[in-house]
């Protein structure tokens, strides 16, 4: 029986959907008759909720729901062609699956995320996914992580928190893991700035496979 749990963020940790995100972002602004932000401005916000991404790019709180609705319509049409697994991500998932129960905690919609993971051929490795539509307080709040842990099979629910890991690429992931009382692991293959990630004083790895290998080594000691 497995004695560990590994949770993964999605964008920048396992997948790259930057192309689909930016194209959908631009379409939302165009639908509202506004000029879209630059690619770099948009990319800098990935990992935050859609509402916060738009608010950070000059959308008023009064209009933000309209932008989000436009975005989701376009993103659903573009996401499969505009998303791919990051280098080493599939190997990381398979290696983690060998010793741990796996879950996803993301600020994407969970249903969209599951469709993507099925399309990319890796959904079968995961027990659960918690997306933005399932929570009232997204990362960096611990609620999504705590909710995910309650959704694992019964035999996994008694695994102590010192055997539970969250791998993510932004400070939001790290803060959520710390608040939830589990082990945060950072990767530098995504959207978080290296200096921001280093400030937490946690283990950092170039990509997710390295992070999983480090966890596996620790688990075998």
């Amino acid at each position: 029986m497995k004695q560990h749990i590994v949770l993964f963020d999605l964008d920048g940790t396992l997948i790259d959907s930057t192309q689909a995100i930016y194209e959908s972002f631009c379409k939302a602004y165009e639908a509202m008759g506004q000029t879209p932000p630059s690619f770099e401005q948009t990319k800098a916000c990935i990992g935050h909720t859609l509402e916060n991404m738009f608010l950070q790019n000059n959308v008023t709180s009064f209009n933000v729901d309209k932008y989000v609705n436009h975005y989701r319509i376009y993103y659903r049409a573009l996401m499969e062609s505009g998303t791919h697994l990051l280098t080493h991500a599939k190997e990381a998932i398979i290696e983690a699956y060998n010793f741990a129960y796996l879950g996803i905690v993301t600020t994407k919609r969970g249903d969209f995320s599951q469709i993507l993971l099925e399309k990319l051929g890796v959904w079968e490795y995961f027990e659960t996914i918690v997306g933005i539509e399932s929570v009232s307080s997204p990362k960096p709040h611990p609620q999504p992580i705590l909710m995910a842990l309650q959704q694992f099979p019964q035999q996994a629910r008694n695994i102590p928190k010192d055997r539970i890991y969250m791998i993510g690429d932004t400070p939001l992931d790290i803060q959520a893991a710390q608040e939830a009382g589990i082990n945060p692991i950072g990767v530098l293959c995504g959207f978080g700035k290296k200096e921001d990630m280093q400030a937490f004083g946690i283990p950092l790895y170039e990509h997710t496979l390295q992070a999983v290998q480090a966890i596996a080594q620790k688990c075998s000691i």
Side-chain angles (χ1 to χ4, degrees), residues 22-147:
Y22 184 59
E23 288 183 20
S24 304
F25 222 62
C26 289
K27 293 288 188 182
Y29 278 85
E30 291 165 5
M32 294 294 291
Q34 300 298 317
T35 302
S38 70
F39 176 80
E40 290 303 324
Q41 287 173 309
T42 306
K43 184 178 177 181
C45 301
I46 294 177
H48 292 261
T49 64
L50 280 175
E51 288 81 0
N52 282 338
M53 288 180 69
F54 283 112
L55 290 170
Q56 290 177 48
N57 284 282
N58 300 317
V59 172
T60 66
S61 57
F62 178 79
N63 283 323
V64 70
D65 287 345
K66 296 177 184 177
Y67 279 80
V68 168
N69 289 337
H70 284 302
Y71 171 94
R72 286 190 169 135
I73 292 169
Y74 291 113
Y75 183 75
R76 179 61 190 91
L78 295 168
M79 68 180 190
E80 293 178 44
S81 61
T83 302
H84 61 269
L85 285 169
L86 289 168
T87 304
H88 307 302
K90 188 167 186 177
E91 298 98 312
I93 293 166
I94 293 171
E95 182 153 346
Y97 182 77
N98 288 332
F99 67 87
Y101 296 96
L102 308 185
I104 299 287
V105 178
T106 176
T107 50
K108 278 187 180 308
R109 284 182 60 102
D111 52 354
F112 287 4
S113 300
Q114 183 174 339
I115 290 168
L116 285 173
L117 293 169
E118 288 172 347
K119 178 76 172 180
L120 295 167
V122 294
W123 173 244
E124 64 187 286
Y125 298 101
F126 295 95
E127 299 284 348
T128 187
I129 184 166
V130 173
I132 189 66
E133 76 276 24
S134 300
V135 299
S136 56
S137 300
K139 295 180 291 185
H141 196 279
Q143 185 191 17
I145 290 176
L146 297 175
M147 182 178 290

